[in-house]
Amino acid sequence: MIGCEIGKMKEMVRLEGIVKKFNNNLIIPELDLTINDGEFLTLLGPSGCGKTTLLRMIAGLETPTQGSIFLDDEDVTNLPPYKRNVNMVFQHYALFPHMTVEENIHFGLKMKKVPLEEQKEKVAQVLYLTQLEEFRHRRPQQMSGGQQQRVAIARALVNNPKVLLLDEPLGALDYQLRKSLQLELKNLQRGLGLTFIYVTHDQEEALTMSDRIVVMNKGYIEQDGHPDEIYHRPKTKFVARFIGESNFFEINEDQYAVRPEKLNLCVEQEDNEPYAGHPEPKFFGTIVDVVFYGTIDKVFIRLDNSNQTVVAYQYFDDVKRWSPDERVGIWWYDNDGVIVEK
Amino acid sequence: MKKGKLLILPAIFWLCLFFVIPMLIVVAVSFATRSPYGQIIFDWNIGNYLRFTESLYVSIFIDTLFVAVVTTFFTIIMGYPLAWTIAKLPQKWQQPGLILVMIPFWINFLIRSYAWVIILRTQGVVNTLLLNFGIIDQPLQLLYNDVAVMLGMIYALLPFMVLPIYVSIEQLDTRLLEAASDLGASPLATFRKITLPLTMPGIAAGTILVFISSLGMFVVPDVMGGAKSALVGNLIQNQFLSARDWPFGAALSIILALLSLLLIVLYYKALQSQKGGAENAENVA
Amino acid sequence: MQRTWRSRVLIAYSVAILAFLYLPLMILALYSFNESRLNAVWTGFTFDWYLSLFKNRRVLEALTNSLIIAVASTIVSTILGTMAALALNRYQYKFKPAINSLLYLPILIPEIVMGLSLLVLFSQAQFPLGKPTLILAHITFCLSFVIITVSARLEGMRQDLEQAAEDLYATPWQTFRYVTLPLAMPGIVAGALIAFTLSIDDFIISFFVAGPNSTTLPLYIYAMVKRGISPEINALSTLMIFATIILVIVAQILQPQHTRKH
């Protein structure tokens, strides 16, 4: 299968000026996006943000109202799904109930009229890759959710698509299984060097698996970047709020977002005494609640002169454990306060 | 894409040709007059509808309504418990139970009425038994009266009541019943406050099916009722087959059809206000 | 325990009602084997009435008519109904409420009205009554039932299966051939069986649109019933009951199951 060493930055999918309306309902106002070859790109956002619509447009299951879609430099905007060399892993897998696992996997090759010998070879390969050999004669409904999910992936991969589209493929599974399949999927993608476009509303999943995350909201791209960048340098208030927890502070008309783990607390000093070893507190407040979370305490503080409550994580190697009604000063290192658009 | 949309046209065309147009012709005929030789003269008058107000026809109509009400009542009190029992059978007995109710549904009224003739006629099963046991010395006249007609109607239409009720009970979320009894409702209170309101769409659908069918029924009275127990259905049948007064028969059937339509519309209106039941109705129908 | 007491009464009541539904049919069947022609007294077991049915030319003719009409109307109504159900399931129509009313009204309107309206149509069009008019009429009332049955099946089918097929390079025709059709097949077969049963069993509508040489089995039974009781009617009715039972069971078993291989 395709190697990924050389064409790392070669572009695979390009969306130009995409607009999508459903019956005068504007889903995607206007959007440009480029996805590189061999990239694991995640479209992340709340439900209804247009991420699935975008994925389905790449698959050809929806047509954009305006704009063009290029796949490997070919304009595929008006091509039906069966003429596009991309494959999709559907949200509920969409496995054909009247076919066995093997027949499901054969389906795409059969439709493309690949020679029978080659079909068999490829199916055997992919069955091995996804560890489904022993289930090949089962019907989908006789398998567990995790196994069905693997069949869905095998059925798509066997066609050697240029891009694999995944629509919340782990959404229907329980937490433990999801964790282990996340790793499996990521390894599979790395091993094959294939371009994955992955849709999810689960921020943790997105952070763990992706090379690049595109955060969407109401059809707009809020931020597009490396997971690390998305988490630590959120560009907008929406991103800061949607991914992880954030506190917002208003300083000189600027909105600062600070992660709770970056928020530090200190005892309020009286009579303008200096604060030893760290910057001056920027805000003061009263602790309203301290909640034990296992590895951390979550400390909730009501800021003075406002009814805003912020939260700080306190690790137990910190000097002091806080309790309600204590007065505290709040400070952070300049680097940890990120100015976000409102 | 667009081409597939046309797949519906043959069915629509067919129903327009063999359902809508015939109905329109019947409407036209209902405003016509019968010539002395039984021909239809299209002279656009409402005489046929006025004739319906004659006391003979009014009383037939009232009889028909009465029979329909009685039939509906009995099919509900017989059908609901049966539907309930079948819906609550263990999983593997569900389908056999359902089939048991489906079978009489599909056997035609004629054969099912005839079965009762065998049982109830003067030399029938009941009379023979009673005579042999010396309970009576003269065979009883069990057939050809109003009671026999009602019995036959109930028998014929019971499956029409059971099936829709079965569907609504089957879709009932049993957790609601558990919740009700958990909240201290007695079995009777649970039934009245939860089960009955939630299965009402099924009862309503069954009522519509039974009521409409009994309004237009002519087979049962024809086979079990003799000459005296004529209902609207028989009246219509006679106009078309013996009396050859098609315009009057047409007017009668238009009244029957409108009445049925009215009931259906009322049913849908009631369902709409009880939201979410619309699909039930379609499944049931 | 109050609960078990209640449920026992309920079950007993239900069994009694089932008996009410089935006993008359069983008695009918039983007496088709009774030697005595006239009385309800059991005089001995016989197959004579069945044998005499099979020698009766008019019965065989009615059977042939019934079968011809049922097969023809099943084929046409299943094809038209399946097409309509597929289209309804897939596309949005502007006048959907009107279309739905048109498709479902034939079921809800009293059969007698439908029968006589067809009689009026055929007589106004001066179309002679006979097998063709019976077939046209039967297709008309079977059509709605087929549409409902097939639609129910299609509605239970997930839309994403067809999209998955398209995504896997199946053209619209291949999608229909390899995914939609096999998945809809149990519904189509059930619809066809229902159409066949309705047609074979129909009396009311046939009563209006049959001609002199197109007597069907139910019409023949009616004529016999009008002339008086005879064990041959019992025998013929019993056969029809059995045919219906078999058709209903097969249709029911087909309904919920998943499809066979394509």
Side-chain angles (χ1 to χ4, degrees), chain C residues 19-188:
Chain C
F20 169 70
L21 279 174
Y22 278 91
L23 227 51
L25 298 176
M26 288 176 186
I27 290 171
L28 172 69
L30 184 71
Y31 279 95
S32 69
F33 298 105
N34 187 10
E35 239 176 30
S36 163
R37 175 166 273 278
L38 286 171
N39 294 324
V41 181
W42 185 265
T43 52
F45 185 90
T46 180
F47 272 119
D48 285 357
W49 313 122
Y50 288 90
L51 291 175
S52 84
L53 274 187
F54 292 119
K55 283 184 219 139
N56 186 333
R57 228 195 64 244
R58 297 192 50 206
V59 172
L60 295 178
E61 201 184 287
L63 174 68
T64 319
N65 285 341
S66 273
L67 287 176
I68 290 172
I69 292 162
V71 169
S73 47
T74 300
I75 292 173
V76 178
S77 63
T78 304
I79 293 173
L80 295 188
T82 301
M83 282 161 59
L86 281 169
L88 273 174
N89 180 253
R90 193 152 325 184
Y91 304 107
Q92 297 300 318
Y93 290 91
K94 248 188 207 153
F95 307 105
K96 189 127 186 176
I99 291 175
N100 275 339
S101 314
L102 179 65
L103 297 181
Y104 295 132
L105 265 185
I107 291 178
L108 295 167
I109 219 80
E111 278 174 280
I112 185 174
V113 177
M114 191 166 174
L116 66 88
S117 74
L118 284 163
L119 169 62
V120 172
L121 173 80
F122 294 136
S123 83
Q124 288 297 306
Q126 311 215 322
F127 200 96
L129 297 181
K131 270 193 282 274
T133 52
L134 276 165
I135 293 173
L136 292 175
H138 283 212
I139 292 169
T140 310
F141 68 73
C142 290
L143 188 52
S144 304
F145 282 94
V146 174
I147 294 174
I148 285 184
T149 316
V150 179
S151 289
R153 175 77 198 180
L154 291 175
E155 262 162 45
M157 241 167 79
R158 286 165 27 199
Q159 295 263 314
D160 60 352
L161 294 177
E162 289 171 356
Q163 293 173 355
E166 274 197 84
D167 183 63
L168 294 165
Y169 314 105
T171 60
W173 167 247
Q174 286 173 316
T175 302
F176 176 74
R177 167 75 183 76
Y178 293 111
V179 177
T180 317
L181 196 59
L183 287 173
M185 200 38 105
I188 298 171

Side-chain angles (χ1 to χ4, degrees), chain B residues 5 85 100 106 114 155 222, chain C residues 14 21-22 93 201 222 234:
Chain B
K5 247 183 140 163
T85 309
L100 272 183
W106 291 109
Y114 172 66
Y155 182 69
D222 194 15
Chain C
S14 305
L21 279 174
Y22 278 91
Y93 290 91
D201 250 1
Y222 180 74
N234 295 19

